[in-house]
Each structure stands twice: as C-alpha cells, then as structure tokens.
Amino acid sequence: MKKVSISQVFPRLALFSDENYRGRRFVVRGNLGIRNLDRLFGDIESLRFFSTNPNATLVLFSRPNFRGGFRVFRGNRNIADLDDIIRGEDVESLVMANSRLTLAQIRNIRDTGVLPQGFRRI
C-alpha cells in the first residue's frame, strides 16, 4: 500500500469581505505579495493569518504596489476589522512571509516594489 502525504504550505491567509470573518472568503498560501487587494478580491474587511513559525511576517500597506504607510504583524494574527488599521487608512496591498522580514527588508520592498527572491507576486 502506498503512503499518502499531505503538503501544507505556510503561511496561510484567509481574507474576508465582511468584518468579523464573515462574507466571501479567499485563501492564499506561501510567501507572496498582493499588489492590489481591491482589484483582486474587492473590499476586504477582516483576515486570519496563520503559520507554524512564530516569526512569520504579515505586512499591510496603505497604498497599492506595497507603497505608503505600513503595519507589521509577527506570528498568527486575527484582525476582525481592517478599517483604518494603518494610521487611519485602509489596507490596499500586503506581503506575507513564513519567516521574519526585517524592517530594512520591508522598507526596501516599499521603496522599490520588488519582493525578495522566492516570493510570488499577484
């Protein structure tokens, strides 16, 4: 009998169209950057970020293409209401990693729009 293996890809991010994890749900996995949340998923109001690595990083940006102000979260995070979460502004783009992204790396992403090697961009 052949063994079956299941591959889990982390981090995992569930995006919800309504506050408090309700409405339409979209799930993305792996090290990636989403350049324009609104264009791909519509208005996102809440999220759940999960990884087995406590240093996993979620960065939320106030402008598309990883621009503007940003807010960094480490480890697992549930955010029931994304309105005005970045100094009074909504989330327009994000980067998620299964490892720790330093502030220097995050600023480089913001300044250049270029993700580190091994990241997908959607």
Side-chain angles (χ1 to χ4, degrees), residues 2 4-5 10 13-14 22 24 46 52 55 62-63 73 82 85 99-100 111:
K2 214 176 197 183
V4 175
S5 66
F10 295 106
L13 178 66
R22 296 175 191 247
R24 290 184 21 192
S46 58
T52 55
N55 288 314
S62 64
R63 298 280 178 255
F73 298 94
L82 288 172
I85 195 163
S99 60
R100 182 178 185 85
D111 295 343

Side-chain angles (χ1 to χ4, degrees), residues 17 19 30 40 45 55 65 77 80 82 87 93 105 109:
S17 62
E19 295 173 358
L40 288 173
E45 295 295 331
N55 288 314
N65 296 315
R77 186 65 56 154
L82 288 172
R87 288 182 251 136
S93 58
Q105 288 174 302
I109 292 168

Side-chain angles (χ1 to χ4, degrees), residues 13-36:
L13 178 66
L15 303 164
F16 297 87
S17 62
D18 295 330
E19 295 173 358
N20 298 309
Y21 323 111
R22 296 175 191 247
R24 290 184 21 192
R25 180 179 68 141
F26 308 94
V27 178
V28 292
R29 291 178 165 82
N31 295 331
L32 72 93
I34 301 174
R35 296 183 307 167
N36 190 325

Side-chain angles (χ1 to χ4, degrees), residues 1-109:
M1 180 177 223
K2 214 176 197 183
K3 278 190 170 183
V4 175
S5 66
I6 297 173
S7 174
Q8 293 286 333
V9 176
F10 295 106
R12 181 177 65 230
L13 178 66
L15 303 164
F16 297 87
S17 62
D18 295 330
E19 295 173 358
N20 298 309
Y21 323 111
R22 296 175 191 247
R24 290 184 21 192
R25 180 179 68 141
F26 308 94
V27 178
V28 292
R29 291 178 165 82
N31 295 331
L32 72 93
I34 301 174
R35 296 183 307 167
N36 190 325
L37 281 166
D38 193 45
R39 191 177 74 213
L40 288 173
F41 303 110
D43 195 24
I44 298 299
E45 295 295 331
S46 58
L47 63 79
R48 292 184 188 271
F49 180 68
F50 177 78
S51 175
T52 55
N53 182 347
N55 288 314
T57 305
L58 174 65
V59 185
L60 307 177
F61 293 90
S62 64
R63 298 280 178 255
N65 296 315
F66 322 121
R67 305 282 187 207
F70 63 86
R71 187 152 177 200
V72 180
F73 298 94
R74 308 272 187 216
N76 298 332
R77 186 65 56 154
N78 295 322
I79 304 173
D81 186 0
L82 288 172
D83 283 342
D84 305 327
I85 195 163
I86 308 167
R87 288 182 251 136
E89 298 188 54
D90 294 337
V91 178
E92 299 290 332
S93 58
L94 64 83
V95 173
M96 60 189 230
N98 201 38
S99 60
R100 182 178 185 85
L101 290 177
T102 66
L103 286 178
Q105 288 174 302
I106 294 166
R107 287 185 183 112
N108 186 55
I109 292 168

